[in-house]
Amino acid sequence: MDASQAWNDMLTAYATKQWADALEYAEALRDWLEGGGFAPQPTIGTTTGNFTCQLDDEFSRAVCLAACHHVFERSILEVGDDA
């Protein structure tokens, strides 16, 4: 699995309100991470671009799992229990 692609696809689906797709990517990424797969490396920065950093694997994993959890909740809220 390409975890970075799944992360990007999940974020794009979420941003464009494609709730079923967002949920699918979030589930796949969560399963990958919980199965011991490597975490994508989200880049953290400011809106001005003056500061960016790469996070360690543990923090990246926590950020990704928290995002997946939020996508689950929001997608279920938006499309109901049929998602």
Side-chain angles (χ1 to χ4, degrees):
M1 173 176 177
D2 184 340
S4 295
Q5 187 65 53
W7 171 256
N8 290 335
D9 290 342
M10 180 184 76
L11 295 180
T12 299
Y14 183 88
T16 59
K17 299 179 180 2
Q18 301 298 311
W19 303 116
D21 291 340
L23 183 59
E24 182 179 330
Y25 293 123
E27 288 174 334
L29 184 56
R30 180 210 50 206
D31 292 347
W32 171 258
L33 294 171
E34 288 181 350
F38 66 89
Q41 293 292 313
T43 300
I44 304 301
T46 66
T47 57
T48 63
N50 291 335
F51 174 77
T52 61
C53 64
Q54 288 296 115
L55 307 169
D56 65 27
D57 186 61
E58 186 177 331
F59 195 88
S60 293
R61 183 176 302 279
V63 167
C64 292
L65 286 171
C68 288
H69 179 74
H70 177 75
V71 170
F72 295 147
E73 289 184 348
R74 181 67 188 270
S75 296
I76 296 299
L77 178 68
E78 294 293 336
V79 297
D81 292 330
D82 295 334

